């Protein structure tokens, strides 16, 4: 095991994939000589050359459009969209082509395309560089969505994504890049897509959280422990496919459900979790599910305003304590 930042774990995963399969290549804006906007791909151009680490013009359509064609011809492109906020620019290539062509063309077709994209706030990047857009893509058939919250998960899930024969949207929480460290297995390993993880055991309520919010939920769980409340924190890791069994089993044990998401409340991933539990695990519930998320507003630029925008540790702990005492 080696201690790595979230960023270093992703870079190590990319390096492992490039070494293991010569059909894998990286493509995106400024990922080569510049090393990526956040330095994730720094040094990979020198190590693997321009045919494996390709810089592109500022065109999300070109990045994903060319990757779709290359995937159909047997390559395994790992395309970077510099900010997840820019994914809608290439929505046709991602949603209507990459996610659907394998179904349209039949069982012999493959679409081994991984789309990496930094998302989320925590750095004062303002409204068009700070969004958490996973819910925009939940309704796209054929698209897997990965949201790792730890360095070890980031590397293992990235390698699984690249090895998949389907299109994977791999979302990286950019606030975690350099602020989060953890032990990461050396060498190559995979974590199955669709397999969640219990980050903290508990008996009084289930908190389902994603990305950055997993860590806030864990800190809130420690505060709740001081009050005699034991929260179980569940990290889906991939929100599509979703480990429904893990979540339902947890709620069956605790009887209560809270979701914590970075994205805005309306139509968010938390709503989907609450719907699934209400439909398939209603008899286990002792109280109505609770959703915590950001308000239905653009992400503010001012640091003090941005800090109030996202669910924080105190809000999570307070809402959880209220839910348990109902």
């Amino acid at each position: 095991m080696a201690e790595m930042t979230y960023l270093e774990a992703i870079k190590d995963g990319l390096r492992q994939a490039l070494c293991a399969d010569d059909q894998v290549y990286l493509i995106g804006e400024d990922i080569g000589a510049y090393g990526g906007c956040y330095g994730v791909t720094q040094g990979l151009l020198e190590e693997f050359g321009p045919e494996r680490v390709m810089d592109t013009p500022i065109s999300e359509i070109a990045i994903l459009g060319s990757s779709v064609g290359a995937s159909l011809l047997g390559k395994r492109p790992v395309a970077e969209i510099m900010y997840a906020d820019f994914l809608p620019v290439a929505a046709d290539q991602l949603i209507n082509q990459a996610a659907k062509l394998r179904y349209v063309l039949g069982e012999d077709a493959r679409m081994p395309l991984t789309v990496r994209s930094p998302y989320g706030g925590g750095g004062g990047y303002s409204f068009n560089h700070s969004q958490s857009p996973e819910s925009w893509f939940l309704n796209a058939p054929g698209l897997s969505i990965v949201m790792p919250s730890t360095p070890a998960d980031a590397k293992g899930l990235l390698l699984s994504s690249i090895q998949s024969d389907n299109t994977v949207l791999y979302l990286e929480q950019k606030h975690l890049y350099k602020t989060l460290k953890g032990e990461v297995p050396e060498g190559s390993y995979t974590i199955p897509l669709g397999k969640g993880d219990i980050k903290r055991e508990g008996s009084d309520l289930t908190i389902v959280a994603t990305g950055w919010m997993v860590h806030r939920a864990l800190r809130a769980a420690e505060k709740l422990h001081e009050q005699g409340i034991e929260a179980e924190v569940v990290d889906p890791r991939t929100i599509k496919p979703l480990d429904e069994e893990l979540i339902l089993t947890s709620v069956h044990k605790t009887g209560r459900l809270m979701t914590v998401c970075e994205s805005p409340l309306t139509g968010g991933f938390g709503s989907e979790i609450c719907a699934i539990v209400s439909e398939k695990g209603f008899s286990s519930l002792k109280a109505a599910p609770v959703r915590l998320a950001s308000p239905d507003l653009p992400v503010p630029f001012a640091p003090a305003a941005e800090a109030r925008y996202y669910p924080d540790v105190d809000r999570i702990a307070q809402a959880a304590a209220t839910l348990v005492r109902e």
Side-chain angles (χ1 to χ4, degrees):
M1 303 284 279
E3 186 170 275
M4 297 183 183
T5 64
Y6 187 85
L7 182 154
E8 291 167 340
I10 294 170
K11 181 189 294 186
D12 193 42
L14 293 172
R15 180 180 288 109
Q16 294 289 335
L18 287 163
C19 288
D21 187 347
D22 60 8
Q23 298 303 309
V24 174
Y25 69 93
L26 314 184
I27 183 170
E29 178 192 344
D30 286 340
I31 67 167
Y34 189 71
C37 184
Y38 293 95
V40 176
T41 54
Q42 193 167 29
L44 296 180
L45 174 64
E46 292 78 6
E47 187 173 351
F48 295 98
E51 292 187 356
R52 306 287 303 283
V53 182
M54 299 182 184
D55 275 321
T56 70
I58 304 174
S59 174
E60 290 77 18
I61 292 174
I63 294 167
L64 292 192
S66 67
S67 296
V68 168
S71 297
L72 287 171
L73 294 173
K75 296 291 186 179
R76 290 187 176 271
V78 182
E80 179 183 302
I81 301 300
M82 186 181 288
Y83 285 91
D85 313 65
F86 305 158
L87 285 165
V89 177
D92 183 58
Q93 285 70 30
L94 181 59
I95 295 172
N96 290 331
Q97 297 176 28
K100 295 184 173 66
L101 280 178
R102 195 173 187 198
Y103 294 82
V104 173
L105 297 176
E107 61 183 13
D108 293 332
R110 298 185 304 161
M111 187 58 66
L113 167 59
T114 302
V115 181
R116 295 180 42 247
S117 199
Y119 78 96
Y125 302 111
S126 191
F127 70 98
N128 59 350
H129 292 78
S130 301
Q131 297 174 92
S132 184
E134 66 275 9
S135 298
W136 302 350
F137 302 97
L138 272 175
N139 202 236
L143 186 65
S144 298
I145 306 174
V146 177
M147 298 183 70
S149 69
T150 69
D153 287 350
K155 179 180 173 181
L157 289 166
L158 178 59
L159 288 169
S160 287
S161 300
I162 295 171
Q163 292 174 18
S164 172
D165 285 336
N166 296 309
T167 302
V168 179
L169 177 58
Y170 181 93
L171 296 171
E172 306 167 7
Q173 214 293 335
K174 56 184 177 285
H175 174 68
L176 301 181
Y177 273 150
K178 298 179 181 179
T179 63
L180 180 67
K181 287 186 175 182
E183 289 190 336
V184 178
E186 296 181 356
S188 182
Y189 67 94
T190 58
I191 295 173
L193 304 185
K195 184 67 176 176
D197 188 36
I198 295 177
K199 300 300 188 189
R200 185 187 191 278
E201 299 273 355
S203 56
D204 296 316
L205 81 154
T206 297
I207 301 177
V208 178
T210 54
W212 183 21
M213 295 298 108
V214 171
H215 302 281
R216 291 195 166 186
L218 287 169
R219 288 165 55 198
E222 293 304 313
K223 296 190 70 170
L224 291 166
H225 172 72
E226 296 171 1
Q227 303 174 40
I229 297 172
E230 299 300 333
E232 182 152 291
V233 178
V234 178
D235 178 4
R237 300 197 290 198
T238 64
I239 65 172
K240 191 177 181 181
L242 177 66
D243 193 346
E244 293 186 10
E245 182 179 355
L246 181 72
I247 295 169
L248 290 167
T249 299
S250 177
V251 173
H252 180 73
K253 176 174 69 172
T254 66
R256 297 176 178 87
L257 170 66
M258 173 184 292
T259 62
V260 186
C261 298
E262 186 176 343
S263 60
L265 181 69
T266 302
F269 174 63
S271 301
E272 182 67 16
I273 297 297
C274 291
I276 290 169
V277 171
S278 296
E279 180 182 9
K280 299 181 179 181
F282 185 78
S283 61
S284 299
L285 291 171
K286 299 175 182 177
V290 171
R291 295 174 296 157
L292 285 188
S294 300
D296 291 343
L297 297 168
V299 182
F301 172 69
E306 189 198 43
R308 293 194 298 270
Y309 181 81
Y310 302 109
D312 60 21
V313 173
D314 289 337
R315 282 173 56 196
I316 296 169
Q318 182 178 5
T322 299
L323 176 59
V324 169
R325 291 169 181 148
E326 282 188 352

